[in-house]
Amino acid sequence: MEYTTLNNGLQMPLEGFGVFQVRDKEECKRSVLEAIKAGYRLIDTAAAYTNEDAVGEAVKEAIREGICTREELFITSKMWVQDMKDYDSAKKAIDASLEKSGLEYLDLYLLHQAMGDYFSAYRAMEDAYKEGKLKAIGVSNFYPHTLVNFCSFVEIPPMVNQVELHPFFAQPHALEIMKEYHVQAEAWAPLGGGRYDAFNNEVLKEIASKHNKSVGQVMLRWNVQRGVVVIPKSVHVERIQENIDIWDFALSEEEMNQISSLDRGYVGTAVKHFDTDFVKMVVSRKVHD
Ligand SMILES: NC(=O)c1ccc[n+]([C@@H]2O[C@H](COP(=O)([O-])OP(=O)(O)OC[C@H]3O[C@@H](n4cnc5c(N)ncnc54)[C@H](OP(=O)(O)O)[C@@H]3O)[C@@H](O)[C@H]2O)c1
């Protein structure tokens, strides 16, 4: 496993494990425990996934079993939009994530979307960061123009921006802007989220067979070689193990370029952030009372 150093000096693993849509608590706990056993140290959850409690239980179980220490783990959660009304609702949301997960601190906490009153919500995160409840803070789904504006006005620059990044939506410009502002890029849906018929793509299949690796491993390796943190999700132990086995090979510059050429631009996004129907759906979505 390799690490990246965030703009506050914190070490973040370049690969982690995501639990989006793993709604069944037992399945979530089992998958996270399998992931930690397989060597993952970063776990990515969110208030909106309603499984922060199952992640917390798996973390405690892993520590109890002596697989790792709390300090070796890097637990991420995110604030949902309904809690981004103002400073007070955001402060409560941070405490609710800590309480649900049963953890004393979170290693990274993100604004899940650039929606609601995200400046006030972030101020609550800056205060929780100063108190040591959050070891790093950042954003998610911030497109470059929003990120530039945001970085220009906050007191503590975001350490991470978690956005959709895979060969079919490569976002080279977004990566350049994040680099310029010292914000670490993190890829959601690094395997394409089960879309794009990615596992049957001829370019990816050919590169994979050359390296005796799977298409999934090639997609993940392409992102980490661009300096992007990846957080693949799976509930199957053999895939969980396969997805972390990406540290013993390297893609050539030509192969990197071939994969980058699969980019479809905004057409390739799974989530249409510029679509008003999407925004209406998100702002009305409640994840708790
Ligand atoms: N910030 C955000 O707005 C946001 C949005 C989406 C996701 N995320 C985060 O990013 C994480 C990853 O994104 P994601 O879950 O959407 O997509 P993903 O990790 O790209 O893909 C997951 C899909 O691929 C399948 N899969 C996993 N490993 C595989 C393999 N080796 N071979 C074939 N299929 C495989 C999984 O099925 P099985 O489970 O059946 O194996 C699942 O259907 C999430 O879990 C979440 O933590 C964040």
Side-chain angles (χ1 to χ4, degrees):
M1 177 64 64
E2 289 175 23
Y3 287 74
T4 180
T5 306
L6 302 181
N7 66 27
N8 67 343
L10 195 70
Q11 294 276 295
M12 177 179 190
L14 264 176
E15 183 167 17
F17 183 71
V19 294
F20 178 42
Q21 289 174 326
V22 192
R23 294 187 192 94
D24 180 84
K25 302 269 188 233
E26 279 312 308
E27 183 169 61
C28 182
K29 187 178 167 187
R30 179 191 55 75
S31 305
V32 172
L33 204 50
E34 295 287 5
I36 297 173
K37 280 183 187 156
Y40 294 80
R41 291 295 175 262
L42 186 172
I43 310 296
D44 183 83
T45 180
Y49 304 168
T50 64
N51 56 18
E52 289 169 304
D53 49 357
V55 168
E57 280 177 31
V59 163
K60 279 182 224 144
E61 180 70 29
I63 296 168
R64 220 174 6 250
E65 288 184 23
I67 303 167
C68 61
T69 62
R70 172 68 187 90
E71 292 70 31
E72 285 165 345
L73 292 169
F74 190 101
I75 311 300
T76 303
S77 193
K78 314 182 193 84
M79 185 185 297
W80 186 240
V81 177
Q82 80 181 87
D83 293 317
M84 291 158 61
K85 284 190 206 84
D86 51 32
Y87 179 95
D88 288 338
S89 62
K91 191 173 166 10
K92 278 188 202 141
I94 297 163
D95 289 337
S97 285
L98 288 166
E99 200 183 315
K100 281 195 184 123
S101 62
L103 301 174
E104 274 175 34
Y105 65 90
L106 288 162
D107 298 272
L108 176 65
Y109 204 66
L110 306 174
L111 293 175
H112 206 140
Q113 301 283 349
M115 294 184 199
D117 182 358
Y118 52 83
F119 275 100
S120 298
Y122 194 75
R123 272 192 283 277
M125 283 165 50
E126 288 174 327
D127 286 347
Y129 173 74
K130 289 175 195 167
E131 287 171 47
K133 290 178 180 178
L134 309 174
K135 300 293 177 196
I137 52 177
V139 297
S140 177
N141 296 305
F142 275 45
Y143 272 80
H145 62 290
T146 310
L147 186 70
V148 170
N149 175 57
F150 190 74
C151 289
S152 307
F153 290 98
V154 291
E155 183 194 334
I156 301 173
M159 285 125 213
V160 171
N161 185 18
Q162 185 184 112
V163 298
E164 184 180 352
L165 288 167
H166 48 71
F168 308 96
F169 189 44
Q171 300 215 62
H173 176 58
L175 292 195
E176 274 169 36
I177 292 294
M178 286 187 233
K179 209 170 182 184
E180 184 182 337
Y181 284 82
H182 309 291
V183 178
Q184 174 63 47
E186 183 176 25
W188 65 254
L191 298 168
R195 294 171 286 264
Y196 314 96
D197 201 16
F199 293 93
N200 290 315
N201 181 280
E202 290 303 328
V203 172
L204 297 174
K205 270 166 65 177
E206 199 184 316
I207 295 172
S209 86
K210 265 196 230 159
H211 290 276
N212 207 14
K213 287 283 176 183
S214 70
V215 164
Q217 289 168 330
V218 165
M219 281 195 274
L220 297 170
R221 183 73 207 179
W222 169 78
N223 250 329
V224 296
Q225 271 187 229
R226 305 194 301 163
V228 173
V229 174
V230 291
I231 44 169
K233 168 262 174 187
S234 179
V235 292
H236 297 100
V237 65
E238 62 289 354
R239 287 178 174 176
I240 291 172
Q241 290 166 351
E242 175 191 321
N243 293 344
I244 200 175
D245 184 17
I246 61 164
W247 301 100
D248 61 351
F249 78 112
L251 299 166
S252 68
E253 199 179 328
E254 192 191 342
E255 289 166 337
M256 289 292 290
N257 291 337
Q258 275 180 291
I259 299 169
S260 300
S261 73
L262 298 174
D263 187 14
R264 298 180 191 171
Y266 186 69
V267 176
T269 62
V271 173
K272 303 291 180 216
H273 279 95
F274 302 155
D275 178 342
T276 47
D277 285 338
F278 171 74
V279 180
K280 284 180 193 174
M281 185 271 288
V282 169
V283 296
S284 61
R285 185 169 165 223
K286 285 195 164 192
V287 296
H288 57 75
D289 295 328

